[in-house]
Amino acid sequence: MAPSIPKVAIPPEKWTASVYSTPDSCLAKAESDKLQAMSFNPSFFSQAYTQCLGRGLSHKECVASLPGSDSKTTPSGPLAGASASPEVSAAIACISASGGDPGKCTTHFEALSKLAGYKEEVKKSSTEKASEFCSKAGWSLLAVPVLWVGLKFIKIK
C-alpha cells in the first residue's frame, strides 16, 4: 500500500508568504522591512560581565550591575507603549467578556487602529485631483495652451 500525500491547508510554495506577510483581510499588516532591523547578540551579557570583571569588580557586583536587556533590540510598535496599555487592556477585556465575538468590540478596535496610525481613506474632490495632476505634470503642462491654439489652425484629416 503506497503512502498517501497529506492534505495541508497551506501549500508548501506559499509557506514563506505566510511567514513574511499577513492575510489580505487583516488591517494590521506586517512590516517586513523592519525584519532586517531585528538583531540579537548572544554574547551581549558575557561581554558585559567580562568587561565588568576586567574593571576589578567582584562576581556579585558584576551580576548586580548587568543591564536588564540588550540595547540593540528592535523598538516595539505603537501598541506596546505605556500610553496604549489602557486601550489594549480594554479591548482584551471586551473580547473575553463577549465570549470572543469581535462584532461587539468594534469601538475598541477602532481606537486601537487610530492609535497604531491607521487612517481612513479621504475622498478627494475634483479640484484636489486636478491640483495634484498639475503639480505632477510640472513644466510640461505649459504646452497645453500652445496646443489648444495650434489645433484651431491645423486641421487633421
Side-chain angles (χ1 to χ4, degrees):
M1 180 173 200
S4 63
I5 298 174
K7 304 289 187 238
V8 292
I10 301 173
E13 60 270 6
K14 293 186 179 179
W15 285 355
T16 54
S18 66
V19 170
Y20 293 111
S21 66
T22 54
D24 294 332
S25 61
C26 181
L27 291 178
K29 299 293 181 191
E31 297 174 351
S32 59
D33 56 333
K34 292 189 178 180
L35 285 176
Q36 288 82 20
M38 295 176 67
S39 64
F40 175 72
N41 186 2
S43 61
F44 174 76
F45 292 105
S46 64
Q47 286 177 348
Y49 179 74
T50 307
Q51 287 177 354
C52 181
L53 286 178
R55 284 182 279 178
L57 299 175
S58 69
H59 168 72
K60 288 183 180 182
E61 292 172 333
C62 288
V63 170
S65 69
L66 283 177
S69 64
D70 189 355
S71 60
K72 287 184 166 182
T73 56
T74 307
S76 56
L79 294 180
S83 63
S85 63
E87 287 87 359
V88 172
S89 59
I92 292 171
C94 179
I95 284 289
S96 56
S98 67
D101 184 21
K104 295 179 181 176
C105 303
T106 55
T107 56
H108 295 289
F109 294 146
E110 289 172 2
L112 288 176
S113 66
K114 287 179 185 174
L115 187 65
Y118 177 75
K119 295 178 184 174
E120 292 288 332
E121 285 189 32
V122 179
K123 179 106 172 138
K124 294 181 183 177
S125 66
S126 57
T127 54
E128 289 176 342
K129 290 179 184 177
S131 66
E132 282 184 13
F133 173 75
C134 291
S135 66
K136 287 180 183 177
W139 285 96
S140 61
L141 198 60
L142 290 175
V144 172
V146 173
L147 288 173
W148 180 267
V149 172
L151 287 177
K152 286 184 180 179
F153 298 107
I154 300 172
K155 296 200 176 197
I156 301 173
K157 292 184 179 182

